[in-house]
Each structure stands twice: as structure tokens, then as C-alpha cells.
Amino acid sequence: MKRSMACSCFLALCATLWSSGVGAQGMIESKAVSSEVQRFELGVGKSKVVDLTTAIKRASLANPEVADTVVLSPKQIYLTGKAIGVTTLTLWKENGELFSAFDVTVSPDLSRLREQLHKIFPDEQGILVTAAHDHLTLSGTISNLARQSRALEIAEPYAPKKVVNLLQVGGAQQVMLEVRVAEMDRNLTRRMGINMNGVGPGGFGVSALNSITTLEGPGALTNPLSQLVTGAVNAAVRFHTGDITWTGFIDALKQEDVIKVLAKPTLVAVSGQEAQFLSGGEFPFPVPQTLGLVTFQYKKFGVGLSFTPTVLANNRISMAVAPEVSELDFTNALQFQGFTIPTIATRRATTVVELADGQSFAIAGLLRDSVRETVQKFPVLGDIPVLGALFRSSRFVKNQTELVIIVTPHFVKPMDVAQLALPTDTFVEPNDWEFYLMGWTDGLGYAPKAQQARDGRLAEAAVSGKLDGNFGHMVQ
């Protein structure tokens, strides 16, 4: 009987210890783990009143800089978003037990941003605005690159330096720029110079005006043929008066030069990207270094083009364009340590224009008209009427230059390779009869009908034996 009572007391004591010790702690932990984690989303400057089903005693925020909380009553909390970010709100019951934990996400005020974008771009229906963590994301489609930049500028104040751009630009965004550089250069030169010398037994001479001729040594006084004659002399007259031999060297020239320059560089670029083009070359010029060493650097010349297109609204194109045409000029070349260094004659323009598709604009124009007159004469003798022409040299130079640079932008799309024209499409190799007997450089008998239809002047060019067929391979 006593042993059974002792066993009963021991079992009761074990049950009491179990219920008040480890078992109770395990029940609390299971409640904490099984409690549901809720999420609150707020905008910056926005607030929310949270109603609870259980009375709480204490509330805590992990990051007070992101949000702020005020306990209005045991069952009501006032939550306010302060800055973009994520934090955790933890609540405890009145008995000290953990009630729940809430994830609080504070994001930019997307409603105001959406409203502002709709007011500024009412016809843009594909812009999507979302917030993730502390970033703001713009996605969807937009009509052109200029509007994309403006949309990003509008969204920047809502999330400074945290705007993710996922916008895709729709429509035609490839631009082909056609540049035409046309230049006419006309030069007129008229010059008239006379050098006279007379050599006799007494050793008398008159010469050296305008450097047409020069005396060479003491033998020139007895032999007039020992003079140096420049390449400018194109006539000579000799006659005798007694023992004196007179020789006249005449420089009479009228020269007309016409230079035509026509360049048509064409480039294709995506909106917002720069494209560059150069058709020419590079020439080396010496650069002296220390210790008598000479190194070489290279300068570019030719037809160059650089432009950056930006597609705007209403099918308009804004372009930063910089065409350039340069060539080597040996007339003003320099001589350095045995090297002939030419100068570069350059025509360059840099500007920003705004055009519609297919419109043309003259971005640069040059009209230059220069006249230079030079008269060299002997004093008194050169002023005598008629006879004074024997004692003076005259030079008249006139230069006229006309330069126009025209740009034309086009929207372009990929096309079928069968629609592309190549410079070699209109050329047909001549056969033996056409090449040896007729002297034609372009054949005619084996030209495909498609080529003859494309180039109606092929037959005329082949018959005439001239390279004056259709020039230019761009498909308009």
C-alpha cells in the first residue's frame, strides 16, 4: 500500500515538472514560429492605420529611418513611411509574448508618378511603373528616344539615382544621312614679263627683272647664252645692233583652271549612336626629336563624315553633323631636311539641325572671290607709254570658290538583298571583238536584260568607248 502511494506521488511530481518546464517553453516557441508574417506597403509620406485583434504592449521598428510608428491604442497602430526602403515591425502582447512580425516596404509614390507621366505623354499607353525594394523601374515601350530621356528625368526625383530603365523604344530608329558636298573652284592667271640684255665688246647688260633670267658668272658678259633661264620663259627674241647682241626673254601666259568637287558620303546609324566615315588616307610627316632623331606621324585626309541622329516626336530627326572634305596641297608644301611636306586644304562644318524625313538643309556655304594684281618695273623706264612694257612685269590672279554642303536624313529599314544595287551591276566584260577591234572597255553583248533596264545609258557608254555610264549605286 505504501509502495503504491509513493509511486503515485512520484508520477504526479514528474507531471508537474513537465508542465511547468520544458514543455511550456516548447509551446511558446511553436506559437512564435507558426505566427503568420504579414506585409505592409506604403508610399513615401503616406500613412496607414493598422487594426489588431489582440491587445499589444510594445512595438519596435528595425530601421526607424525608413518608417515610423505610433501606438494609438492597445489594438491600433499608426504607421508612416519616411524614406524608400524595407524594415520590420515587431509587436509584443501585454504578457510579454511575441505577437507577430510585419515586413514594411516603403516605395515611391507611384500614383503621382503615373499621373504626371500621363499628363506629359497622354498618347504613351505602354509605360509601366513598378517599385522593387528601393529601386524604381520603368518598363514597357515608348515611341522615341527623346521621350525616353524625358520620362527618366521625370522619374529621377522619386528615386534619386535608383531608376532602372527597361523602356524599349519603338518605331523606326535607324537613320540614313545623305551628305552632298559640291564645290567649284575657278582660277584665272594672266602675266606678262620681259627681260632684256645686251652684250657687246664693252661688256654692257640689262637683265634680272622678275627673275626670268639670271646672270651666271663673269662669262655672261661675253656670252649671253651662259645665263640661267627659268621655266617661265616661253619666248625669246635676239637681234644685233652693231657689235651689241640683244636678247629678249618673254614670259606671256594666260591660264584658266576649273576644279569640280562632288562628294556624297552616306551613313546609317541607330538613334542616339554616333557614326563616322572616312574615304581618303593618311600621309606621314616628319617630327624632329632630340639627338637628331626624326619620327613620323600620320594625318588623315579625304571625305569624312561624323553624325549623331536623335529621333524626335512627329517623325522629326535632330542631328549633330560634322562633314569634312580635305586634300593634300603641294603648292604650299614645306621643305624640311629633304622631305616635302604638303599642307592640307580643308573644308569643314559642324552644326546641329532638326529636319523631317526626306527634307534637305544647306548647313554650310562659302563664296570666295579674290583678286591679286602685281606690277614690277624699272623706275622711270617702266612708266614710259608703250615702250615701258619692255621694262616692267605684270601679274593678275583671280580666284573664285563656291562651296555648298547639303544634308538629307531618311528613316531606313532593312530590305531584301535582291533590291540592293552594287557598283558592279552595270559592268559587262567586253569580248575580243569589242575590246581589240572596237576599243570598248564595257561589253554589250552579254549584258543581262535586268542590267540594261536599270542602266539605260550602258549601250551609249559602250559605243562611245567612254566611262560615262550611270554613276552612283545608292537605291533611291
Side-chain angles (χ1 to χ4, degrees):
M1 186 70 180
K2 291 181 180 180
R3 181 176 293 180
S4 61
M5 291 178 64
C7 291
S8 301
C9 292
F10 179 77
L11 294 175
L13 178 61
C14 291
T16 303
L17 293 175
W18 175 261
S19 61
S20 61
V22 180
Q25 185 178 0
M27 292 173 62
I28 294 174
E29 289 181 356
S30 63
K31 290 180 181 180
V33 173
S34 63
S35 60
E36 297 181 358
V37 179
Q38 301 182 17
R39 299 180 183 274
F40 291 149
E41 293 185 1
L42 295 174
V44 177
K46 298 292 185 178
S47 60
K48 176 183 293 187
V49 177
V50 181
D51 294 323
L52 305 173
T53 59
T54 303
I56 64 170
K57 182 179 180 180
R58 185 163 59 95
S60 175
L61 283 171
N63 188 358
E65 296 182 356
V66 175
D68 191 12
T69 181
V70 177
V71 179
L72 301 178
S73 67
K75 291 187 178 183
Q76 200 171 61
I77 298 176
Y78 186 77
L79 192 61
T80 304
K82 297 172 58 177
I84 300 175
V86 178
T87 185
T88 302
L89 174 63
T90 307
L91 303 177
W92 287 268
K93 297 180 182 180
E94 292 182 348
N95 59 1
E97 294 181 359
L98 178 65
F99 173 68
S100 184
F102 300 89
D103 289 340
V104 180
T105 302
V106 181
S107 60
D109 191 357
L110 302 183
S111 60
R112 294 182 56 188
L113 177 57
R114 293 190 183 102
E115 181 181 358
Q116 189 174 2
L117 289 174
H118 179 71
K119 288 182 178 180
I120 297 177
F121 309 117
D123 54 340
E124 298 288 349
Q125 304 297 329
I127 302 178
L128 302 178
V129 181
T130 56
H133 189 50
D134 58 345
H135 289 76
L136 182 64
T137 303
L138 296 183
S139 59
T141 58
I142 197 167
S143 59
N144 56 68
L145 191 63
R147 289 192 170 187
Q148 181 190 44
S149 300
R150 293 185 61 186
L152 295 176
E153 293 176 358
I154 295 172
E156 181 66 20
Y158 291 87
K161 299 181 180 180
K162 294 183 179 181
V163 179
V164 180
N165 178 23
L166 296 181
L167 288 172
Q168 295 183 354
V169 181
Q173 298 299 316
Q174 292 188 127
V175 179
M176 181 184 72
L177 181 65
E178 179 183 357
V179 179
R180 287 174 290 175
V181 181
E183 180 181 8
M184 288 296 298
D185 192 354
R186 301 177 181 88
N187 296 316
L188 173 62
T189 302
R190 297 199 303 262
R191 68 174 186 254
M192 182 68 181
I194 298 177
N195 277 184
M196 295 290 296
N197 64 58
V199 179
F204 171 78
V206 177
S207 182
L209 183 63
N210 200 29
S211 301
I212 296 179
T213 62
T214 57
L215 298 177
E216 184 183 26
L221 298 178
T222 57
N223 184 8
L225 298 180
S226 63
Q227 299 180 68
L228 293 177
V229 181
T230 65
V233 175
N234 49 30
V237 178
R238 173 175 293 181
F239 59 93
H240 300 274
T241 57
D243 295 336
I244 301 176
T245 301
W246 296 91
T247 306
F249 298 94
I250 302 174
D251 173 22
L253 176 67
K254 181 179 180 180
Q255 180 178 350
E256 296 182 5
D257 298 329
V258 176
I259 301 176
K260 171 190 173 183
V261 177
L262 177 61
K264 296 181 65 176
T266 304
L267 275 181
V268 177
V270 179
S271 177
Q273 301 295 324
E274 181 183 10
Q276 295 182 353
F277 170 86
L278 175 64
S279 176
E282 297 181 350
F283 77 96
F285 68 96
V287 178
Q289 305 291 335
T290 58
L291 302 178
L293 299 177
V294 178
T295 60
F296 289 88
Q297 294 184 0
Y298 289 83
K299 291 290 186 180
K300 297 180 180 179
F301 68 95
V303 180
L305 174 62
S306 173
F307 87 107
T308 304
T310 302
V311 178
L312 305 177
N314 300 324
N315 293 328
R316 299 191 66 84
I317 305 171
S318 175
M319 297 178 302
V321 57
E324 178 179 325
V325 178
S326 58
E327 58 187 356
L328 301 181
D329 184 6
F330 285 91
T331 58
N332 298 318
L334 301 177
Q335 300 293 331
F336 175 75
Q337 295 183 359
F339 297 99
T340 300
I341 306 174
T343 58
I344 300 180
T346 305
R347 281 80 70 196
R348 181 188 298 119
T350 302
T351 185
V352 178
V353 295
E354 181 178 333
L355 300 174
D357 181 18
Q359 289 184 339
S360 299
F361 200 89
I363 65 172
L366 172 64
L367 292 177
R368 185 179 61 184
D369 191 351
S370 61
V371 177
R372 177 181 297 179
E373 298 181 8
T374 304
V375 178
Q376 295 178 340
K377 58 185 177 181
F378 283 107
V380 182
L381 298 178
D383 296 329
I384 300 176
V386 183
L387 294 179
L390 301 176
F391 301 97
R392 65 173 177 260
S393 176
S394 303
R395 181 182 179 88
F396 176 87
V397 179
K398 183 177 182 179
N399 176 263
Q400 292 180 335
T401 302
E402 301 178 40
L403 171 65
V404 176
I405 300 178
I406 301 176
V407 297
T408 306
H410 300 277
F411 287 115
V412 295
K413 295 181 180 180
M415 59 190 309
D416 189 4
V417 66
Q419 300 176 353
L420 296 175
L422 300 177
T424 56
D425 289 346
T426 58
F427 175 76
V428 179
E429 294 183 3
N431 55 29
D432 294 342
W433 179 80
E434 293 171 337
F435 183 75
Y436 291 108
L437 298 180
M438 303 301 298
W440 296 347
T441 56
D442 290 353
L444 185 61
Y446 301 100
K449 294 182 179 180
Q451 293 181 2
Q452 295 182 4
R454 183 180 300 157
D455 186 9
R457 291 180 293 176
L458 178 61
E460 298 179 2
V463 172
S464 62
K466 300 179 181 179
L467 297 177
D468 56 357
N470 193 20
F471 182 75
H473 61 277
M474 294 304 300
V475 178
Q476 302 296 333

